[in-house]
Amino acid sequence: MATKNAAQQRADRKHDYDAYLAACPSRQLLERISNKWVVLVLNELGDGPARYSEIARVVAGVSQKMLTQTLRNLERDGLVHRDVEATVPVTVTYSLTELGSSLLKVMGQLKLWAEDYMPEVFAARERYDAL
């Protein structure tokens, strides 16, 4: 049996996951990463490692519970690294992993698109609501 190179293995795996299928696990991942808090946290960590309080300050409106849950989920999915330093009090710093950085490229564009096209979206909403 012939050995496959990395590109062939990735191509094979791509066929294993189809988000259009109800049972595909990639749907769970899409649900997770499409969360607004995930987009904002990833973008904040794109500027470099940050402590919890720094993230909470920048991501206005996120509750402590939701931020904690978001960071834990991102860590579980391998997108964020949690570094704990044995200081008094304990210092915890979050940073993007290589996988997280690859997702940030996409998410950063999504955030910029939303910021750039809000006037058009507001205009479309007004037209729709006027009907």
Side-chain angles (χ1 to χ4, degrees):
M1 183 173 185
T3 304
K4 295 182 179 184
N5 65 29
Q8 291 168 326
Q9 291 173 358
R10 278 194 303 276
D12 287 347
R13 283 196 312 266
K14 185 176 180 175
H15 294 291
D16 292 341
Y17 299 104
D18 182 351
Y20 289 111
L21 300 175
C24 183
S26 63
R27 276 198 180 189
Q28 294 170 344
L29 182 59
L30 284 171
E31 184 177 350
R32 170 138 328 135
I33 64 176
S34 64
N35 178 287
K36 68 180 173 185
W37 303 123
V38 169
V39 174
L40 296 173
V41 167
L42 286 177
N43 276 281
E44 170 57 17
L45 291 176
D47 293 336
R51 295 184 61 187
Y52 182 95
S53 59
E54 296 166 332
I55 299 168
R57 188 172 37 256
V58 171
V59 182
V62 66
S63 69
Q64 182 177 352
K65 177 184 175 186
M66 188 52 65
L67 181 54
T68 299
Q69 182 179 350
T70 300
L71 287 166
R72 284 182 183 159
N73 287 336
L74 290 172
E75 183 181 10
R76 181 173 184 247
D77 288 340
L79 302 170
V80 166
H81 174 72
R82 182 175 181 260
D83 183 43
V84 180
E85 295 179 42
T87 59
V88 178
V90 173
T91 303
V92 179
T93 306
Y94 296 91
S95 59
L96 291 178
T97 63
E98 188 175 327
L99 187 61
S101 293
S102 70
L103 178 59
L104 175 63
K105 292 174 187 173
V106 176
M107 296 307 232
Q109 290 301 310
L110 181 61
K111 176 185 168 285
L112 290 174
W113 183 91
E115 293 169 346
D116 289 346
Y117 286 95
M118 277 315 302
E120 288 87 345
V121 171
F122 282 140
R125 288 177 182 174
E126 286 179 15
R127 286 190 305 272
Y128 181 89
D129 292 344
L131 297 177

